[in-house]
Amino acid sequence: MSENNNGGGLFGFIRRVWKGFWSPSGAFSLGFLLIAGFLGGILFWGGFHWSLEGTNTEKFCVSCHSMTRNFDEYTETVHYNNHSGVRAICSDCHVPHEWQHKVKAKIMAVKDVYHEIMGTINTVEKYDEHRLHMASAVWVKMKKSDSRECRNCHAFEYMDFTIQENRAAAEHQKAIDTNMTCIDCHQGIAHGLPAGYLEEYREVTEDLEGGHSAGLDQPHDGDKSISANIRSYLESRTDG
């Protein structure tokens, strides 16, 4: 009997809480509730934004053991140490600035946490085994976004070709004329390149071109020309 009373009392309490939750408030004015909700929204948004920015820091990125090798390679590049003293950290290259793309990147990064926990690349041997695949995934992303993160800092319209080295100026002009994107030439700008990377990048280019061709819209002549120019460029690097 007492169990039924206790059960009834518990269920009654739950019903009263549920009813009270959905009933108009008699203790607080509408203005108070609006202000409290507004302040609560600010606190929530501030905390959410703080969390996003916290995961963009270099310290956070290299807190995973498997990322220390990437970081060591990065410290040997011009993005880490250069004559101007301007540095591009991990998030500058791997996290979009635009809100919708940034949130998507953060959600997709959950898989990195999973692989860190599972120890997918926690040894040099495992890292080398997966390196080409990891690089390829980044190349695909950058090809699809037209090297969006690169262009947050670098823009052809603001380059002065007259003060660039002749080869760099010529290649940049070629990229403009043929609509190539940054990653077509700069695959190893911040990290070491795995063995067979040129062949893999050529496959990435051809797969993306094939995927475009398989759509409802057929590729324009300009698209075919771009792919041909990229293949020609990659072949010249292989021959060199």
Side-chain angles (χ1 to χ4, degrees), residues 33-45:
L33 294 176
L34 289 174
I35 293 174
F38 178 74
L39 294 177
I42 292 177
L43 291 175
F44 171 80
W45 181 256

Side-chain angles (χ1 to χ4, degrees), residues 50 56 75 98 116 138 192 208 214 232:
W50 175 83
N56 278 348
T75 60
E98 297 81 3
E116 175 68 18
V138 174
L208 290 176
S232 176

Side-chain angles (χ1 to χ4, degrees), residues 89-127:
I89 64 173
C90 311
S91 57
D92 291 321
C93 299
H94 293 285
V95 180
H97 288 184
E98 297 81 3
W99 171 253
Q100 67 276 23
H101 300 305
K102 179 187 291 187
V103 172
K104 180 181 178 180
K106 293 299 183 182
I107 294 174
M108 295 300 294
V110 172
K111 73 180 187 306
D112 298 328
V113 177
Y114 167 78
H115 287 295
E116 175 68 18
I117 295 173
M118 298 302 295
T120 304
I121 54 173
N122 62 351
T123 66
V124 174
E125 293 76 18
K126 290 181 180 179
Y127 185 94

